[in-house]
Amino acid sequence: MNKFLSSKANSIEPYTPGEQPRDKKYIKLNTNESPYPPSPFVKEAISGSNFDDLRLYPDPKVYELKKEIAKRYNIKEDNIFIGNGSDEILAFSFMAFFDRGDKIYYPNITYSFYSVYSSLFDLKEKKYRLKMILL
């Protein structure tokens, strides 16, 4: 597969997810799993859904969700950004706020995708060691 990748993609060390047990005995906090089942309200909403719509491409502007979030938090719809998960939103943030060669600073113990995206977007990363303060 590597022969098909760009030189940039070949040079990046890929993200390695943490251990992923398959026996479902554990709550995997590293993948944001919850120890609780869905709310009865979620189950009710799903049971009343029009499943025929699942075959359709979703609204790319996510109009209805933005409208509800704006109403719930009393903010403008233009101030709401919705993406396909935190990794996509993080990538968009890197693209929006950094130019090639910019410096990015973050702690050395952090989300490992920061380093992947720093390399992908040609940023100069500076990792800082955190200091432990005992109270």
Side-chain angles (χ1 to χ4, degrees), residues 79-117:
N79 293 335
I80 299 169
F81 181 85
I82 297 174
N84 293 312
S86 58
D87 290 340
E88 180 185 61
I89 293 172
L90 183 61
F92 284 148
S93 297
F94 271 62
M95 287 186 269
F97 299 113
F98 295 101
D99 289 316
R100 185 178 188 192
D102 281 354
K103 293 179 185 173
I104 183 169
Y105 302 86
Y106 51 84
N108 64 340
I109 298 175
T110 191
Y111 185 43
S112 60
F113 246 56
Y114 288 167
S115 193
V116 172
Y117 283 148

Side-chain angles (χ1 to χ4, degrees), residues 120-131:
L120 180 63
F121 296 113
D122 291 319
L123 302 176
K124 297 174 184 167
E125 62 182 355
K126 176 68 177 171
K127 297 179 184 178
Y128 283 92
R129 186 179 168 142
L130 296 176
K131 295 178 183 176

